Amino acid sequence: MASLQGSSVQSDLRIVIIGNAGDEKNKVVKSVLNCENPTGEKVGLCTLHQCEHEGRRIRVVEAPGWDRTLQQTAENIKEEVERSVSLCPPGPHALLLVIPVKSLSEEPSLSDITAAQMHKELLSERVWKHTILLFACDEGAEEPQIKEYIHKSEKILEKCRRRSHVLQKSAQIHELLKKIDNLVEENHGDFFIPQAYYELIQHKTQEASAESEIRHRRESLDSPPSLKKDKGDSVEKKETIEADKHTPLEDTPKINMDFKQFVVILMAVFGALIGAVAGAENGVSGSCSGLVFGVIVGILLASISMYIYTHIYSRSYPKKPTQRTS
């Protein structure tokens, strides 16, 4: 894209002109090329023109008409119409369908308009997205006559989203190019792809999609969801075990310090009583010795009891696993 006079336009514009043979069609070619005597390259029955207009290159392909006097077969016409869009690769930005507007003395021919529509649709229905209906007027054509032609072309206008242009003078070509630029902008710079290439692209896209789906199914079969789940559970269990190694035993019973002191004192008193009673047979000295001995034994028994109680209980009642929240 390039900036031209404040607007965003294509630096390389590709146009195909389709219509029946006649002076009106030649007039359109001359106006677009801004040349009275255009010379182009003949390819089959199509003519390829190139020109520079306000700093950008314009390629114009003139498709052959379908006049019965040319003695062309339907297959030949279809071949040439398809050739016309392939002569400006990768495809035309705009296709101008020329409807000649005769002088006031002639009525618009519905059959000619229908023939124009039929020949345009040889390129597929997609072509209407890139089409502008161009009414090329004779010198003597007046406003009422032009309106009558537009009215008779209502079906075509609906197909191309009512994009049209009335060309009466060559000076109006600037307005036509502006409408073509608007069409290109509306299509986001897209262009018409010839049907043969379009079908090939569609076919390759479908093949790629099918291959992707098959590959996805194979990967699913190689790695069943159940195995993946078990593997995830194993990882989670391993993490839980590792966490437990570094986590203090929260549920291990902790004996309060006051309770320990109480047990030691109780056992000391109990040992003192037993020692005093046992030593009383030897008199006062024996009673005192038994008292001291009983206190020492009681303290030792209390300490041993606390140690056994704590360690046996912690092993008999292990820490409950902590629930992990996801």
Side-chain angles (χ1 to χ4, degrees):
M1 301 288 283
S3 178
L4 182 64
Q5 296 181 351
S7 62
S8 180
V9 298
Q10 289 285 337
S11 57
D12 182 11
L13 189 61
R14 302 182 297 273
I15 303 172
V16 171
I17 299 176
I18 297 177
N20 208 355
D23 294 337
E24 294 80 8
K25 186 179 174 184
N26 294 332
K27 177 182 178 181
V28 173
V29 174
K30 293 177 182 179
S31 299
V32 173
L33 295 173
N34 193 26
C35 179
E36 284 297 323
N37 299 303
T39 57
E41 178 185 356
K42 207 72 172 173
V43 182
L45 297 179
C46 299
T47 306
L48 175 61
H49 305 274
Q50 297 190 42
C51 71
E52 293 283 338
H53 183 78
E54 295 186 355
R56 62 173 172 171
R57 187 175 68 163
I58 299 178
R59 283 184 283 176
V60 178
V61 178
E62 182 184 358
W66 47 84
D67 196 331
R68 294 186 182 91
T69 59
L70 298 178
Q71 298 180 350
Q72 297 186 80
T73 63
E75 290 78 9
N76 182 247
I77 293 174
K78 184 176 186 299
E79 179 183 350
E80 292 299 327
V81 171
E82 291 176 346
R83 188 201 305 273
S84 65
V85 296
S86 65
L87 290 178
C88 50
H93 294 104
L95 295 97
L96 306 180
L97 180 57
V98 179
I99 302 293
V101 178
K102 303 296 181 180
S103 62
L104 188 61
S105 59
E106 297 185 27
E107 291 291 329
S109 172
L110 186 59
S111 61
D112 290 343
I113 296 174
T114 303
Q117 177 181 338
M118 290 176 59
H119 284 83
K120 190 63 176 291
E121 289 178 347
L122 292 173
L123 297 171
S124 80
E125 281 288 332
R126 295 181 297 107
V127 75
W128 296 111
K129 180 182 177 182
H130 306 271
T131 297
I132 295 177
L133 189 58
L134 182 60
F135 296 96
C137 303
D138 280 348
E139 292 295 333
E142 297 182 0
E143 191 69 23
Q145 189 74 357
I146 296 172
K147 289 184 177 179
E148 184 66 22
Y149 271 87
I150 294 174
H151 176 70
K152 289 289 184 69
S153 304
E154 185 64 27
K155 288 185 179 181
I156 300 181
L157 286 170
E158 289 179 1
K159 285 181 172 290
C160 62
R161 301 179 185 178
R162 310 202 72 80
R163 290 185 294 264
S164 64
H165 183 73
V166 176
L167 184 63
Q168 292 177 293
K169 299 178 181 179
S170 59
Q172 293 175 313
I173 195 62
H174 295 281
E175 297 178 13
L176 174 59
L177 292 177
K178 185 177 180 180
K179 289 182 179 180
I180 293 175
D181 289 334
N182 292 338
L183 169 62
V184 175
E185 185 177 357
E186 179 184 334
N187 290 330
H188 306 288
D190 195 12
F191 48 83
F192 177 76
I193 301 175
Q195 187 64 15
Y197 300 139
Y198 179 79
E199 291 175 356
L200 180 61
I201 293 172
Q202 291 293 100
H203 179 68
K204 292 297 182 182
T205 302
Q206 292 174 1
E207 282 186 349
S209 178
E211 289 177 0
S212 177
E213 184 176 355
I214 292 172
R215 191 181 306 112
H216 178 70
R217 290 181 179 178
R218 287 177 178 173
E219 291 175 356
S220 300
L221 292 175
D222 293 340
S223 302
S226 59
L227 294 180
K228 292 180 180 179
K229 182 178 180 181
D230 293 341
K231 183 178 179 181
D233 293 342
S234 300
V235 173
E236 185 175 352
K237 290 178 181 177
K238 183 177 180 181
E239 291 176 353
T240 303
I241 293 172
E242 291 294 328
D244 292 342
K245 290 181 180 178
H246 304 284
T247 303
L249 298 176
E250 297 177 355
D251 294 337
T252 302
K254 296 180 180 179
I255 300 177
N256 191 283
M257 183 57 67
D258 294 335
F259 178 70
K260 285 184 178 181
Q261 293 174 353
F262 173 76
V263 171
V264 171
I265 293 171
L266 181 62
M267 293 297 292
V269 172
F270 184 72
L273 291 175
I274 294 177
V277 172
E281 297 179 356
N282 298 320
V284 176
S285 60
S287 178
C288 291
S289 299
L291 178 64
V292 174
F293 182 79
V295 170
I296 295 173
V297 172
I299 293 174
L300 290 174
L301 291 175
S303 300
I304 294 171
S305 298
M306 292 299 99
Y307 178 84
I308 294 173
Y309 176 81
T310 302
H311 286 268
I312 291 177
Y313 190 91
S314 64
R315 292 177 181 177
S316 301
Y317 299 91
K319 177 180 176 286
K320 296 179 183 179
T322 304
Q323 292 183 352
R324 300 173 64 88
T325 58
S326 58

